Amino acid sequence: MTIQKNREADILTVAVEGRLDTTTAPQLEEELNASIDGVKELVLDLVDLAYVSSAGLRVLLSAQKTMNKQGSMVIKNANEEVMEIFEVTGFIDILNIEE
C-alpha cells in the first residue's frame, strides 16, 4: 500500500493506493494519527484503492470519529468494489462519500 499526503492550510488530502487490509491498516492509522492534528477537513482519495478489509474499515471509522470532533471527513473516488464493501457493511450510511 502507498500513502500520499498533501496538506494545504487546514485541509489534509490522503491518497491511498493498493490494499487496505490487516497488514496495511496499521500503517494508514499511524499516518493519519500523526497528521490529523489541526486539520479541519480530511479528504481520503481512494481512486487507486483496490480492496478494503474489516481492519481497514475500522481505521476509516476511527478517522471519521476523530474528524467529527474537529471538522469533517470526505471519501472521494472509491471504485465499485470498495463502494460495494461500504454498502454491504452499512458504512455508506456512516461515512461521507462523494462519487
Side-chain angles (χ1 to χ4, degrees):
M1 178 180 71
T2 306
I3 300 169
Q4 294 182 359
K5 298 184 292 186
N6 180 31
R7 183 162 179 175
E8 294 182 21
D10 56 3
I11 299 172
L12 175 64
T13 301
V14 179
V16 184
E17 179 181 337
R19 294 175 57 88
L20 181 54
D21 55 25
T22 306
T23 306
T24 58
Q27 179 187 353
L28 179 60
E29 185 172 38
E30 190 175 302
E31 290 282 346
L32 289 175
N33 288 341
S35 308
I36 211 166
D37 279 348
V39 170
K40 297 280 188 242
E41 182 178 351
L42 174 61
V43 179
L44 291 173
D45 187 345
L46 306 184
V47 69
D48 292 318
L49 186 67
Y51 172 78
V52 60
S53 74
S54 59
L57 291 173
R58 185 187 58 76
V59 173
L60 296 179
L61 182 60
S62 176
Q64 180 71 61
K65 285 181 177 180
T66 300
M67 290 310 300
N68 284 347
K69 295 174 188 167
Q70 66 189 54
S72 64
M73 181 176 104
V74 63
I75 293 179
K76 293 186 177 183
N77 303 319
N79 66 32
E80 284 183 30
E81 291 174 22
V82 172
M83 284 301 292
E84 186 174 326
I85 293 167
F86 288 156
E87 288 172 13
V88 168
T89 58
F91 272 64
I92 198 155
D93 298 323
I94 299 169
L95 302 173
N96 181 12
I97 302 170
E98 291 184 3
E99 304 217 13

